[in-house]
mmCIF file of all heavy atoms in Angstrom:
data_model
loop_
_atom_site.group_PDB
_atom_site.id
_atom_site.type_symbol
_atom_site.label_atom_id
_atom_site.label_comp_id
_atom_site.label_asym_id
_atom_site.label_seq_id
_atom_site.Cartn_x
_atom_site.Cartn_y
_atom_site.Cartn_z
ATOM 1 N N SER L 13 -52.047 26.975 116.597
ATOM 2 C CA SER L 13 -50.572 27.167 116.562
ATOM 3 C C SER L 13 -50.051 26.410 115.341
ATOM 4 O O SER L 13 -50.748 25.572 114.718
ATOM 5 C CB SER L 13 -49.887 26.537 117.916
ATOM 6 O OG SER L 13 -50.091 25.249 117.930
ATOM 7 N N SER L 14 -48.798 26.674 114.925
ATOM 8 C CA SER L 14 -48.281 26.057 113.799
ATOM 9 C C SER L 14 -48.211 24.490 113.998
ATOM 10 O O SER L 14 -48.467 23.714 113.039
ATOM 11 C CB SER L 14 -46.888 26.588 113.494
ATOM 12 O OG SER L 14 -46.246 25.901 112.356
ATOM 13 N N GLN L 15 -47.864 24.006 115.220
ATOM 14 C CA GLN L 15 -47.793 22.593 115.504
ATOM 15 C C GLN L 15 -49.187 21.896 115.367
ATOM 16 O O GLN L 15 -49.392 20.910 114.774
ATOM 17 C CB GLN L 15 -47.085 22.301 116.759
ATOM 18 C CG GLN L 15 -45.680 22.758 116.840
ATOM 19 C CD GLN L 15 -45.453 24.206 117.016
ATOM 20 O OE1 GLN L 15 -46.445 24.995 117.341
ATOM 21 N NE2 GLN L 15 -44.227 24.662 116.780
ATOM 22 N N GLU L 16 -50.134 22.616 115.988
ATOM 23 C CA GLU L 16 -51.434 21.997 116.074
ATOM 24 C C GLU L 16 -52.145 22.005 114.678
ATOM 25 O O GLU L 16 -52.940 21.129 114.337
ATOM 26 C CB GLU L 16 -52.378 22.796 117.001
ATOM 27 C CG GLU L 16 -53.714 22.167 117.248
ATOM 28 C CD GLU L 16 -54.609 23.007 118.135
ATOM 29 O OE1 GLU L 16 -54.150 24.010 118.610
ATOM 30 O OE2 GLU L 16 -55.770 22.554 118.451
ATOM 31 N N ALA L 17 -51.819 22.974 113.803
ATOM 32 C CA ALA L 17 -52.385 23.062 112.511
ATOM 33 C C ALA L 17 -52.035 21.900 111.689
ATOM 34 O O ALA L 17 -52.806 21.451 110.760
ATOM 35 C CB ALA L 17 -52.158 24.281 111.894
ATOM 36 N N LEU L 18 -50.896 21.410 111.838
ATOM 37 C CA LEU L 18 -50.300 20.230 111.159
ATOM 38 C C LEU L 18 -50.380 18.930 111.870
ATOM 39 O O LEU L 18 -49.831 17.873 111.500
ATOM 40 C CB LEU L 18 -48.837 20.517 110.674
ATOM 41 C CG LEU L 18 -48.721 21.627 109.802
ATOM 42 C CD1 LEU L 18 -47.192 21.921 109.495
ATOM 43 C CD2 LEU L 18 -49.385 21.378 108.440
ATOM 44 N N SER L 19 -51.016 18.939 113.122
ATOM 45 C CA SER L 19 -51.080 17.678 113.868
ATOM 46 C C SER L 19 -51.945 16.667 113.328
ATOM 47 O O SER L 19 -52.860 16.961 112.548
ATOM 48 C CB SER L 19 -51.570 18.063 115.351
ATOM 49 O OG SER L 19 -52.861 18.471 115.235
ATOM 50 N N PHE L 20 -51.632 15.392 113.589
ATOM 51 C CA PHE L 20 -52.520 14.210 113.193
ATOM 52 C C PHE L 20 -52.609 13.265 114.281
ATOM 53 O O PHE L 20 -51.641 12.923 114.948
ATOM 54 C CB PHE L 20 -51.808 13.488 112.014
ATOM 55 C CG PHE L 20 -52.713 12.495 111.355
ATOM 56 C CD1 PHE L 20 -53.676 12.725 110.467
ATOM 57 C CD2 PHE L 20 -52.630 11.117 111.797
ATOM 58 C CE1 PHE L 20 -54.533 11.872 109.840
ATOM 59 C CE2 PHE L 20 -53.422 10.160 111.177
ATOM 60 C CZ PHE L 20 -54.411 10.538 110.349
ATOM 61 N N PRO L 21 -53.873 12.905 114.653
ATOM 62 C CA PRO L 21 -55.085 13.324 113.983
ATOM 63 C C PRO L 21 -55.421 14.812 114.134
ATOM 64 O O PRO L 21 -55.046 15.338 115.329
ATOM 65 C CB PRO L 21 -56.182 12.402 114.609
ATOM 66 C CG PRO L 21 -55.646 12.056 115.987
ATOM 67 C CD PRO L 21 -54.155 11.927 115.701
ATOM 68 N N PRO L 22 -56.098 15.455 113.300
ATOM 69 C CA PRO L 22 -56.312 16.854 113.354
ATOM 70 C C PRO L 22 -57.312 17.226 114.467
ATOM 71 O O PRO L 22 -58.210 16.419 114.728
ATOM 72 C CB PRO L 22 -56.779 17.301 111.999
ATOM 73 C CG PRO L 22 -57.487 15.963 111.487
ATOM 74 C CD PRO L 22 -56.553 14.906 111.951
ATOM 75 N N THR L 23 -57.217 18.300 115.111
ATOM 76 C CA THR L 23 -58.268 18.861 116.077
ATOM 77 C C THR L 23 -59.223 19.684 115.340
ATOM 78 O O THR L 23 -58.836 20.379 114.287
ATOM 79 C CB THR L 23 -57.558 19.556 117.233
ATOM 80 O OG1 THR L 23 -56.757 20.641 116.561
ATOM 81 C CG2 THR L 23 -56.531 18.741 117.888
ATOM 82 N N PHE L 24 -60.437 19.785 115.750
ATOM 83 C CA PHE L 24 -61.349 20.625 115.194
ATOM 84 C C PHE L 24 -61.266 22.051 115.830
ATOM 85 O O PHE L 24 -60.938 23.032 115.065
ATOM 86 C CB PHE L 24 -62.855 20.035 115.420
ATOM 87 C CG PHE L 24 -63.826 20.873 114.773
ATOM 88 C CD1 PHE L 24 -64.088 20.897 113.450
ATOM 89 C CD2 PHE L 24 -64.802 21.575 115.468
ATOM 90 C CE1 PHE L 24 -65.022 21.667 112.756
ATOM 91 C CE2 PHE L 24 -65.857 22.344 115.044
ATOM 92 C CZ PHE L 24 -65.892 22.358 113.582
ATOM 93 N N LEU L 25 -61.611 22.197 117.044
ATOM 94 C CA LEU L 25 -61.423 23.518 117.655
ATOM 95 C C LEU L 25 -60.042 23.741 118.130
ATOM 96 O O LEU L 25 -59.327 22.727 118.722
ATOM 97 C CB LEU L 25 -62.406 23.711 118.877
ATOM 98 C CG LEU L 25 -63.810 23.686 118.599
ATOM 99 C CD1 LEU L 25 -64.671 23.722 119.807
ATOM 100 C CD2 LEU L 25 -64.203 24.862 117.640
ATOM 101 N N PRO L 26 -59.413 24.842 118.062
ATOM 102 C CA PRO L 26 -58.038 25.115 118.545
ATOM 103 C C PRO L 26 -57.963 24.813 120.079
ATOM 104 O O PRO L 26 -58.844 25.161 120.893
ATOM 105 C CB PRO L 26 -57.745 26.549 118.145
ATOM 106 C CG PRO L 26 -58.670 26.933 117.214
ATOM 107 C CD PRO L 26 -59.926 26.013 117.466
ATOM 108 N N GLN L 27 -56.881 24.150 120.426
ATOM 109 C CA GLN L 27 -56.675 23.988 121.878
ATOM 110 C C GLN L 27 -56.275 25.275 122.605
ATOM 111 O O GLN L 27 -56.561 25.482 123.647
ATOM 112 C CB GLN L 27 -55.591 22.878 122.156
ATOM 113 C CG GLN L 27 -55.986 21.501 121.588
ATOM 114 C CD GLN L 27 -54.777 20.568 121.690
ATOM 115 O OE1 GLN L 27 -53.663 20.942 122.036
ATOM 116 N NE2 GLN L 27 -55.102 19.284 121.370
ATOM 117 N N GLU L 28 -55.584 26.147 121.747
ATOM 118 C CA GLU L 28 -55.188 27.430 122.195
ATOM 119 C C GLU L 28 -55.546 28.452 121.071
ATOM 120 O O GLU L 28 -54.973 28.236 120.017
ATOM 121 C CB GLU L 28 -53.691 27.501 122.624
ATOM 122 C CG GLU L 28 -53.339 28.893 123.108
ATOM 123 C CD GLU L 28 -51.719 28.979 123.351
ATOM 124 O OE1 GLU L 28 -51.160 27.953 123.103
ATOM 125 O OE2 GLU L 28 -51.343 30.023 123.656
ATOM 126 N N TRP L 29 -56.333 29.423 121.280
ATOM 127 C CA TRP L 29 -56.821 30.292 120.296
ATOM 128 C C TRP L 29 -55.748 31.326 120.088
ATOM 129 O O TRP L 29 -55.435 32.104 120.913
ATOM 130 C CB TRP L 29 -58.132 31.012 120.701
ATOM 131 C CG TRP L 29 -59.291 29.962 120.761
ATOM 132 C CD1 TRP L 29 -59.632 29.175 121.797
ATOM 133 C CD2 TRP L 29 -60.293 29.683 119.759
ATOM 134 N NE1 TRP L 29 -60.723 28.435 121.608
ATOM 135 C CE2 TRP L 29 -61.184 28.748 120.273
ATOM 136 C CE3 TRP L 29 -60.596 30.160 118.445
ATOM 137 C CZ2 TRP L 29 -62.259 28.189 119.598
ATOM 138 C CZ3 TRP L 29 -61.557 29.663 117.761
ATOM 139 C CH2 TRP L 29 -62.343 28.667 118.267
ATOM 140 N N ARG L 30 -55.221 31.324 118.773
ATOM 141 C CA ARG L 30 -54.086 32.159 118.486
ATOM 142 C C ARG L 30 -54.554 33.325 117.549
ATOM 143 O O ARG L 30 -54.304 33.207 116.349
ATOM 144 C CB ARG L 30 -52.909 31.354 117.933
ATOM 145 C CG ARG L 30 -52.366 30.194 118.785
ATOM 146 C CD ARG L 30 -51.570 30.874 119.966
ATOM 147 N NE ARG L 30 -50.510 31.596 119.430
ATOM 148 C CZ ARG L 30 -49.282 31.030 119.170
ATOM 149 N NH1 ARG L 30 -49.078 29.825 119.383
ATOM 150 N NH2 ARG L 30 -48.324 31.757 118.832
ATOM 151 N N PHE L 31 -55.204 34.334 118.063
ATOM 152 C CA PHE L 31 -55.606 35.414 117.134
ATOM 153 C C PHE L 31 -54.449 36.270 116.702
ATOM 154 O O PHE L 31 -54.580 36.966 115.723
ATOM 155 C CB PHE L 31 -56.635 36.168 117.971
ATOM 156 C CG PHE L 31 -57.924 35.611 118.261
ATOM 157 C CD1 PHE L 31 -58.200 35.035 119.451
ATOM 158 C CD2 PHE L 31 -58.955 35.420 117.227
ATOM 159 C CE1 PHE L 31 -59.377 34.359 119.781
ATOM 160 C CE2 PHE L 31 -60.180 34.839 117.595
ATOM 161 C CZ PHE L 31 -60.356 34.310 118.760
ATOM 162 N N ASP L 32 -53.362 36.099 117.362
ATOM 163 C CA ASP L 32 -52.094 36.838 117.005
ATOM 164 C C ASP L 32 -51.591 36.292 115.702
ATOM 165 O O ASP L 32 -50.592 36.995 115.111
ATOM 166 C CB ASP L 32 -51.094 36.869 118.055
ATOM 167 C CG ASP L 32 -50.713 35.540 118.424
ATOM 168 O OD1 ASP L 32 -51.416 34.532 118.344
ATOM 169 O OD2 ASP L 32 -49.464 35.328 118.809
ATOM 170 N N ASN L 33 -52.055 35.208 115.155
ATOM 171 C CA ASN L 33 -51.600 34.767 113.946
ATOM 172 C C ASN L 33 -51.776 35.755 112.781
ATOM 173 O O ASN L 33 -50.991 35.876 111.819
ATOM 174 C CB ASN L 33 -52.317 33.432 113.531
ATOM 175 C CG ASN L 33 -51.851 32.218 114.275
ATOM 176 O OD1 ASN L 33 -50.718 32.295 114.963
ATOM 177 N ND2 ASN L 33 -52.629 31.256 114.365
ATOM 178 N N TYR L 34 -52.875 36.546 112.886
ATOM 179 C CA TYR L 34 -53.228 37.517 111.864
ATOM 180 C C TYR L 34 -52.169 38.594 111.955
ATOM 181 O O TYR L 34 -51.747 39.245 110.833
ATOM 182 C CB TYR L 34 -54.576 37.918 111.951
ATOM 183 C CG TYR L 34 -55.656 36.955 111.477
ATOM 184 C CD1 TYR L 34 -56.107 35.973 112.387
ATOM 185 C CD2 TYR L 34 -56.128 36.944 110.119
ATOM 186 C CE1 TYR L 34 -56.991 35.049 112.035
ATOM 187 C CE2 TYR L 34 -56.936 35.942 109.785
ATOM 188 C CZ TYR L 34 -57.478 35.039 110.664
ATOM 189 O OH TYR L 34 -58.362 34.028 110.201
ATOM 190 N N LEU L 35 -51.848 38.952 113.133
ATOM 191 C CA LEU L 35 -50.686 39.981 113.257
ATOM 192 C C LEU L 35 -49.370 39.480 112.760
ATOM 193 O O LEU L 35 -48.588 40.213 112.054
ATOM 194 C CB LEU L 35 -50.522 40.445 114.725
ATOM 195 C CG LEU L 35 -51.727 41.132 115.365
ATOM 196 C CD1 LEU L 35 -51.515 41.542 116.788
ATOM 197 C CD2 LEU L 35 -52.145 42.426 114.573
ATOM 198 N N SER L 36 -49.087 38.139 113.062
ATOM 199 C CA SER L 36 -47.880 37.546 112.545
ATOM 200 C C SER L 36 -47.799 37.435 111.032
ATOM 201 O O SER L 36 -46.788 37.538 110.389
ATOM 202 C CB SER L 36 -47.767 36.101 113.128
ATOM 203 O OG SER L 36 -47.691 36.161 114.496
ATOM 204 N N LEU L 37 -49.057 37.325 110.478
ATOM 205 C CA LEU L 37 -49.095 37.214 108.947
ATOM 206 C C LEU L 37 -48.524 38.605 108.292
ATOM 207 O O LEU L 37 -47.790 38.585 107.336
ATOM 208 C CB LEU L 37 -50.535 36.983 108.526
ATOM 209 C CG LEU L 37 -50.845 37.098 107.009
ATOM 210 C CD1 LEU L 37 -50.038 36.022 106.274
ATOM 211 C CD2 LEU L 37 -52.408 37.092 106.750
ATOM 212 N N PHE L 38 -48.949 39.702 108.930
ATOM 213 C CA PHE L 38 -48.625 40.968 108.399
ATOM 214 C C PHE L 38 -47.165 41.283 108.740
ATOM 215 O O PHE L 38 -46.501 41.968 107.985
ATOM 216 C CB PHE L 38 -49.495 42.054 108.987
ATOM 217 C CG PHE L 38 -50.778 42.221 108.369
ATOM 218 C CD1 PHE L 38 -51.837 41.360 108.790
ATOM 219 C CD2 PHE L 38 -51.092 43.052 107.252
ATOM 220 C CE1 PHE L 38 -53.176 41.377 108.255
ATOM 221 C CE2 PHE L 38 -52.338 43.111 106.685
ATOM 222 C CZ PHE L 38 -53.273 42.272 107.226
ATOM 223 N N ASP L 39 -46.576 40.614 109.758
ATOM 224 C CA ASP L 39 -45.151 40.751 110.050
ATOM 225 C C ASP L 39 -44.278 39.928 109.113
ATOM 226 O O ASP L 39 -43.179 40.230 108.746
ATOM 227 C CB ASP L 39 -44.807 40.348 111.422
ATOM 228 C CG ASP L 39 -45.370 41.180 112.478
ATOM 229 O OD1 ASP L 39 -45.601 42.515 112.089
ATOM 230 O OD2 ASP L 39 -45.752 40.929 113.616
ATOM 231 N N ALA L 40 -44.938 38.684 108.611
ATOM 232 C CA ALA L 40 -44.068 37.865 107.873
ATOM 233 C C ALA L 40 -44.048 38.295 106.398
ATOM 234 O O ALA L 40 -42.909 38.223 105.805
ATOM 235 C CB ALA L 40 -44.753 36.491 107.815
ATOM 236 N N VAL L 41 -45.007 38.903 105.876
ATOM 237 C CA VAL L 41 -45.068 39.432 104.521
ATOM 238 C C VAL L 41 -45.850 40.804 104.510
ATOM 239 O O VAL L 41 -46.619 40.920 105.340
ATOM 240 C CB VAL L 41 -45.609 38.506 103.587
ATOM 241 C CG1 VAL L 41 -44.837 37.187 103.354
ATOM 242 C CG2 VAL L 41 -47.106 38.177 103.922
ATOM 243 N N PRO L 42 -45.569 41.754 103.512
ATOM 244 C CA PRO L 42 -46.322 42.977 103.563
ATOM 245 C C PRO L 42 -47.613 42.605 102.975
ATOM 246 O O PRO L 42 -48.159 43.077 101.821
ATOM 247 C CB PRO L 42 -45.506 43.757 102.547
ATOM 248 C CG PRO L 42 -44.791 42.868 101.682
ATOM 249 C CD PRO L 42 -44.450 41.589 102.508
ATOM 250 N N PHE L 43 -48.498 42.006 103.763
ATOM 251 C CA PHE L 43 -49.851 41.590 103.353
ATOM 252 C C PHE L 43 -50.802 42.792 103.132
ATOM 253 O O PHE L 43 -51.724 42.684 102.156
ATOM 254 C CB PHE L 43 -50.545 40.586 104.428
ATOM 255 C CG PHE L 43 -51.455 39.662 103.754
ATOM 256 C CD1 PHE L 43 -51.008 38.578 103.013
ATOM 257 C CD2 PHE L 43 -52.812 39.844 103.826
ATOM 258 C CE1 PHE L 43 -52.028 37.630 102.560
ATOM 259 C CE2 PHE L 43 -53.770 38.943 103.293
ATOM 260 C CZ PHE L 43 -53.347 37.889 102.629
#
């Protein structure tokens, strides 16, 4: 998630796997 990606101390494995980030990328810009 956006918050976990910037958290400190950082986590190695995602606490919640957000595969929809790649779909959000194409919604944010015409990637």
Side-chain angles (χ1 to χ4, degrees):
S13 65
S14 178
Q15 294 78 12
E16 186 183 1
L18 294 173
S19 64
F20 187 83
T23 58
F24 183 68
L25 295 176
Q27 297 176 352
E28 179 184 359
W29 295 82
R30 300 289 298 272
F31 293 97
D32 60 330
N33 286 340
Y34 288 87
L35 296 178
S36 300
L37 171 66
F38 285 85
D39 292 334
V41 293
F43 207 78

